[in-house]
Amino acid sequence: QVQLVESGGGLVQAGGSLRLSCAASGRTFSSYAMGWFRQAPGKEREFVAAISWSGANTYYADSVKGRFTISRDNAKNTVYLQMNSLKPEDTAVYYCATYRRPFTIPTMQGSLYDYWGQGTQVTVSS
């Protein structure tokens, strides 16, 4: 059974930083792309960032490009999301997810990710 456990969320002032972590188990982590998504109250879930299985390729939503960095440590079965210059509109529950097929370039479509974590709350105050 695949398990994803996010951590690192919290309350931060605008302009601050947070680093989210997602620890994975139950699958050969290094074979699968990973993604981060977020959902704000009253809004649909949206793509934030994704990283290929090796970590060589990364992808970002326009809204976070230049501020957020996704990375992974395959030895630790963990993917990270470094969030800098946070804005109030970044407030959301953040989820990590694993892509459904191994050795496949990820997309922004949430429906193509098959396992999800429970989410971690990020709140940015103005």
Side-chain angles (χ1 to χ4, degrees):
Q1 182 70 17
V2 176
Q3 280 196 314
L4 301 174
V5 180
E6 301 99 335
S7 61
L11 173 64
V12 64
Q13 288 189 331
S17 298
L18 282 174
R19 188 196 197 201
L20 305 184
S21 300
C22 171
S25 62
R27 175 179 274 182
T28 306
F29 179 76
S30 58
S31 300
Y32 291 83
M34 298 291 294
W36 284 97
F37 292 77
R38 67 186 181 186
Q39 188 166 21
K43 295 188 177 181
E44 292 189 354
R45 182 182 63 195
E46 66 173 354
F47 169 80
V48 175
I51 188 166
S52 62
W53 61 94
S54 66
N57 302 100
T58 57
Y59 311 87
Y60 297 94
D62 288 343
S63 59
V64 306
K65 205 171 291 185
R67 301 188 297 121
F68 290 12
T69 302
I70 188 171
S71 62
R72 64 190 297 159
D73 185 338
N74 284 345
K76 296 183 178 179
N77 287 0
T78 302
V79 62
Y80 305 97
L81 186 69
Q82 177 68 44
M83 306 185 295
N84 299 329
S85 302
L86 282 161
K87 304 175 181 180
E89 51 264 43
D90 295 317
T91 295
V93 178
Y94 284 70
Y95 300 90
C96 67
T98 181
Y99 207 68
R100 64 171 55 179
R101 297 189 185 93
F103 305 114
T104 305
I105 298 296
T107 72
M108 297 187 296
Q109 292 179 258
S111 60
L112 296 181
Y113 293 75
D114 56 355
Y115 290 97
W116 296 76
Q118 83 288 351
T120 186
Q121 177 71 47
V122 171
T123 303
V124 184
S125 63
S126 56

